[in-house]
Amino acid sequence: MLAAARIPSAVIDLDGLRQSWPAPSGDRFNFGMMVRNLRSMSGNYLAAGATRLVLAGVIEDLDDRKLCAEAVGIELSVCRLTVDLPVNHQRLARRHESEPEALRWHLARAGELAGILDRAAVDDFTVDATRRSVGEVAADVITKVGWL
């Protein structure tokens, strides 16, 4: 949508930036590695002319939000996508249908994470993604953040 509107932009998958093994002791989700990689990648995209960065991932507390903003070098607008838990479980079951151990972990984590995010209040706004298409959700996010 941003490209169609001729807005120079890039998408960064924060989960992809964490993928290394083993994670350091005390950093369960390899957040430190993600921040270091985010600093490099966002700098490269901004230097190449991107004026908008879409960071796709989870930020669990205000301190982590601050670290992400410092890594990117600009203030963040954080959107929380919400999905009804039964729908979330259905989507996880499809995604991990051949990975029973991963599915069990993600099913347990979904409810836990919803509670963490409720308490942390890291987001600036929310968008319900329960029964809407990806395009509808993206349009809502882009409108609410004021990019179009």
Side-chain angles (χ1 to χ4, degrees), residues 60-72:
E60 291 189 22
D61 62 49
L62 293 172
D63 289 338
D64 287 353
R65 176 184 171 143
K66 182 179 177 189
L67 289 171
C68 288
E70 289 170 354
V72 175

Side-chain angles (χ1 to χ4, degrees), residues 10 19 21 67 75 86 95 114 123:
Q19 293 182 353
W21 185 89
L67 289 171
E75 187 57 36
R95 184 178 305 146
D123 53 275

Side-chain angles (χ1 to χ4, degrees), residues 7-99:
I7 297 171
S9 56
V11 176
I12 301 174
D13 175 4
L14 297 181
D15 284 343
L17 301 184
R18 304 170 187 265
Q19 293 182 353
S20 66
W21 185 89
S25 176
D27 188 1
R28 177 180 176 196
F29 297 112
N30 216 354
F31 190 82
M33 177 63 71
M34 185 274 296
V35 169
R36 287 190 299 278
N37 287 332
L38 177 60
R39 183 173 293 112
S40 295
M41 287 187 70
S42 61
N44 290 336
Y45 284 128
L46 293 169
T51 61
R52 300 288 188 259
L53 298 177
V54 177
L55 309 180
V58 176
I59 300 174
E60 291 189 22
D61 62 49
L62 293 172
D63 289 338
D64 287 353
R65 176 184 171 143
K66 182 179 177 189
L67 289 171
C68 288
E70 289 170 354
V72 175
I74 55 177
E75 187 57 36
L76 303 180
S77 294
V78 178
C79 173
R80 179 178 172 190
L81 299 180
T82 59
V83 177
D84 293 345
L85 196 55
V87 173
N88 191 345
H89 284 182
Q90 290 170 350
R91 292 176 183 174
L92 289 168
R94 283 193 304 269
R95 184 178 305 146
H96 298 287
E97 66 185 339
S98 63
E99 306 168 301

